[in-house]
Amino acid sequence: VKVTVDTTGTGFTPVGTTNQKTIKRISGQSSEEISFRFFADANTEIKVNPLPVTLTYYDKFSNEYTHSVVVGVPVTAKPTYLTNLEDSEIFIAGNKGRVVVSISNIGKGNLNFVVLEIIDKDEYEIISSPKSYLGNLESDDFETGQFDIFIYPTEKASVPIEFSLHYRDSYDKVYSESFILENKLYSQEKATEIGLKAPVDYSGTALFFVIIIAIGGIWWYRRKCSKCKRK
């Protein structure tokens, strides 16, 4: 029995052997087992890939027979992604604002039905919806989720914000994984110094007081003058 696996154009390469093996004899009502090792090329899709297999054999009268089948070979890859705090409106503790988180699929397989969730912690309060649906992320794709939070007053230089990512791989296996991103915090002076916050403009306040003083001076002068005239 000659077993031939046709790997032409499939992305599979035999490893340690050829794509053909032979079984000398299979007796009636019995079975034999053979195995092949293949290397999946980098461009092989993450799915169940079909492989054509041909069996060529002879009966006891030396009559030749050929039988062709297709077997499915699953190709898997561990889901791999990159997380990043893309943007934050909160630079100073005791303020509220929006944080933007990105999920980048840097693996071969797809991340399907992706849901990004922010986890409530003592350091901050969630103002918006805690969950953001990102959809499907193909390989080399990315999406962002946005959340509004309030960071409580603290002396720390950063606050850890915890997230949970829920998704399915190409074989519908469910994953739930947590990660933490640091939100940096600054003093009012430092935030102004590095350009994260505009400096406070006191010119309007100063002008207001000048006007008040001028009006008071005019009122005092007119009152004094009216007293002088009555005398």
Side-chain angles (χ1 to χ4, degrees):
V1 180
K2 188 182 297 182
V3 182
T4 305
V5 181
D6 186 7
T7 60
T8 305
T10 63
F12 293 96
T13 303
V15 177
T17 183
T18 65
N19 66 327
Q20 186 178 93
K21 289 189 176 182
T22 301
I23 302 172
K24 185 175 182 181
R25 179 184 178 88
I26 302 178
S27 301
Q29 303 301 316
S30 64
S31 63
E32 295 288 340
E33 183 178 290
I34 58 173
S35 63
F36 294 87
R37 290 177 58 86
F38 295 98
F39 173 81
D41 298 340
N43 295 326
T44 305
E45 293 187 51
I46 307 300
K47 65 175 186 178
V48 178
N49 291 265
L51 274 181
V53 178
T54 301
L55 306 177
T56 303
Y57 57 94
Y58 301 86
D59 62 16
K60 63 181 179 179
F61 303 109
S62 297
N63 295 315
E64 183 180 10
Y65 301 86
T66 300
H67 183 59
S68 296
V69 296
V70 175
V71 298
V73 180
V75 175
T76 62
K78 182 181 178 180
T80 308
Y81 55 86
L82 181 67
T83 62
N84 189 42
L85 186 62
E86 288 289 323
D87 189 24
S88 174
E89 296 177 348
I90 313 173
F91 311 118
I92 303 172
N95 285 271
K96 66 179 180 179
R98 177 164 297 179
V99 292
V100 181
V101 179
S102 67
I103 307 295
S104 302
N105 184 2
I106 58 175
K108 288 285 294 179
N110 294 342
L111 305 180
N112 298 323
F113 308 107
V114 180
V115 176
L116 179 62
E117 180 181 7
I118 184 171
I119 307 301
D120 199 11
K121 292 293 181 180
D122 294 337
E123 292 86 352
Y124 54 86
E125 181 177 349
I126 303 170
I127 301 175
S128 63
S129 172
K131 294 184 179 181
S132 178
Y133 180 66
L134 307 185
N136 298 337
L137 276 70
E138 298 180 354
S139 179
D140 200 31
D141 194 8
F142 82 99
E143 287 291 344
T144 59
Q146 302 179 359
F147 305 93
D148 294 328
I149 64 174
F150 172 81
I151 294 182
Y152 291 109
T154 179
E155 297 297 326
K156 296 180 180 179
S158 65
V159 167
I161 304 177
E162 184 174 354
F163 299 89
S164 182
L165 193 67
H166 312 278
Y167 62 93
R168 297 171 183 262
D169 65 11
S170 300
Y171 293 96
D172 211 33
K173 182 180 178 181
V174 179
Y175 295 81
S176 292
E177 299 164 344
S178 298
F179 62 93
I180 292 176
L181 297 174
E182 294 286 340
N183 189 105
K184 292 185 178 181
L185 298 174
Y186 304 89
S187 65
Q188 180 80 37
E189 295 76 12
K190 188 64 175 179
T192 303
E193 178 185 340
I194 62 179
L196 295 176
K197 189 173 181 63
V200 178
D201 185 5
Y202 294 101
S203 59
T205 304
L207 179 62
F208 173 76
F209 281 108
V210 169
I211 294 174
I212 293 297
I213 293 172
I215 293 174
I218 294 172
W219 175 81
W220 178 83
Y221 176 77
R222 288 182 175 179
R223 184 179 179 184
K224 183 178 180 181
C225 289
S226 63
K227 288 181 179 181
C228 292
K229 289 178 179 179
R230 285 198 297 269
K231 289 179 180 180

